[in-house]
């Protein structure tokens, strides 16, 4: 046996090296495959990381500030609100609810506390977005548009409910979240 190993050392070393390289390549590919998996599913469809991050940032930006004496929302609360945002956003998309550029402009003016027609240059607007929200204007406007779609969706649902709109809205939301079958993939640490 030793005579065989001595005679074929070069071939054996190459076989072992190829085996280790193949094994390492497989391990890396499996690791990247798991890392690229989406953060979850809603209504049976995968949620992209981009969509999830947009929703998460929108929740952080548009959540009401904590009241005096109260703790800011925990990471778990922000996570739950993010998934709620995604479910409502998908429902608004399913119902083909649209928000015009004019509605986005009006909401921005409301956030700025300005009246229509008061001067604010494009550069000042960009500086305000970057300073106040630490966000690029385009991303901020996408998040704002999604937020406005959700507001419109909830307003339409409330409008259809004649009696006890808040209680019926609560029941509608519970049914919607049940139908959404939210599945969150938890990363393995």
């Amino acid at each position: 046996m030793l005579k065989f190993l001595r005679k074929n050392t070069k071939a054996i070393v190459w076989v072992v090296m190829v085996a280790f390289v193949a094994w390492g390549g497989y391990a890396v590919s499996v690791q990247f495959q798991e890392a690229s998996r989406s953060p979850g599913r809603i209504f049976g469809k995968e949620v992209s990381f981009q969509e999830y991050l947009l929703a998460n940032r929108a929740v952080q930006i548009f959540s009401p500030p904590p009241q005096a004496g109260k703790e800011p929302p925990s990471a778990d609360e922000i996570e739950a609100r993010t998934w709620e945002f995604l479910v409502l956003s998908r429902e608004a998309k399913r119902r083909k609810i649209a928000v015009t550029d004019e509605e986005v402009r009006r909401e921005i003016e409301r956030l700025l506390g300005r009246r229509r027609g008061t001067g604010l240059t494009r550069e000042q607007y960009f500086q305000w977005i970057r300073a106040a929200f630490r966000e690029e204007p385009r991303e901020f406007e996408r998040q704002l548009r999604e937020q406005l779609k959700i507001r419109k969706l909830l307003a339409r649902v409330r409008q259809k409910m004649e009696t006890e709109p808040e209680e019926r809205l609560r029941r509608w939301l519970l049914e919607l979240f049940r139908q959404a079958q939210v599945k969150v993939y938890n990363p393995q640490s």
Side-chain angles (χ1 to χ4, degrees):
M1 173 83 170
L2 287 175
K3 191 175 185 181
F4 174 78
L5 290 175
R6 282 190 201 120
K7 214 178 207 184
N8 299 310
T9 304
K10 198 176 197 179
I12 293 170
V13 168
W14 276 107
V15 168
V16 170
M17 282 179 42
V18 167
F20 272 115
V21 167
W23 178 51
Y26 173 76
V28 167
S29 72
V30 167
Q31 181 181 8
F32 281 124
Q33 200 172 33
E34 293 231 348
S36 68
R37 195 168 76 182
S38 75
R41 296 174 72 91
I42 297 176
F43 294 113
K45 294 182 181 170
E46 297 291 325
V47 174
S48 69
F49 277 109
Q50 183 180 9
E51 185 181 8
Y52 175 82
L53 292 174
L54 176 104
N56 186 273
R57 188 71 179 124
V59 164
Q60 291 176 21
I61 288 174
F62 298 113
S63 290
Q67 297 172 350
K70 288 196 174 184
E71 295 285 322
S74 68
D76 289 339
E77 289 173 319
I78 290 174
E79 176 81 6
R81 288 180 189 170
T82 300
W83 287 103
E84 289 171 11
F85 185 96
L86 286 165
V87 168
L88 292 169
S89 177
R90 291 263 175 110
E91 180 65 12
K93 187 176 184 178
R94 187 185 71 75
R95 292 184 182 212
K96 295 182 173 91
I97 294 176
V99 174
T100 65
D101 290 342
E102 183 59 31
E103 290 171 310
V104 172
R105 273 189 224 104
R106 271 187 280 165
E107 184 64 18
I108 290 171
E109 287 172 356
R110 188 189 70 75
L111 289 171
L112 277 167
R114 294 183 180 250
R115 292 179 192 236
R116 191 140 178 79
T118 57
L120 182 67
T121 66
R122 182 180 173 103
E123 193 55 42
Q124 288 172 330
Y125 166 69
F126 286 174
Q127 287 175 353
W128 173 72
I129 294 292
R130 289 181 183 124
F133 301 108
R134 291 177 179 34
E135 196 74 53
E136 286 299 312
R138 185 175 185 163
E139 285 301 306
F140 174 76
E141 290 168 6
R142 281 183 60 207
Q143 294 161 354
L144 183 59
R145 188 176 301 273
E146 287 302 314
Q147 182 71 20
L148 291 173
K149 283 180 185 179
I150 290 171
R151 279 192 211 164
K152 272 185 164 181
L153 169 68
L154 295 175
R156 285 183 186 177
V157 170
R158 273 191 194 101
Q159 195 175 31
K160 290 180 181 177
M161 300 175 180
E162 298 86 32
T163 59
E164 302 175 6
E166 292 305 313
E167 178 59 29
R168 293 185 73 193
L169 175 65
R170 190 181 67 75
R171 279 190 256 144
W172 177 82
L173 285 169
L174 287 172
E175 179 62 22
L176 178 66
F177 292 129
R178 187 190 64 71
Q179 290 173 1
Q181 298 175 348
V182 176
K183 180 169 176 38
V184 178
Y185 304 138
N186 290 324
Q188 297 172 352
S189 304

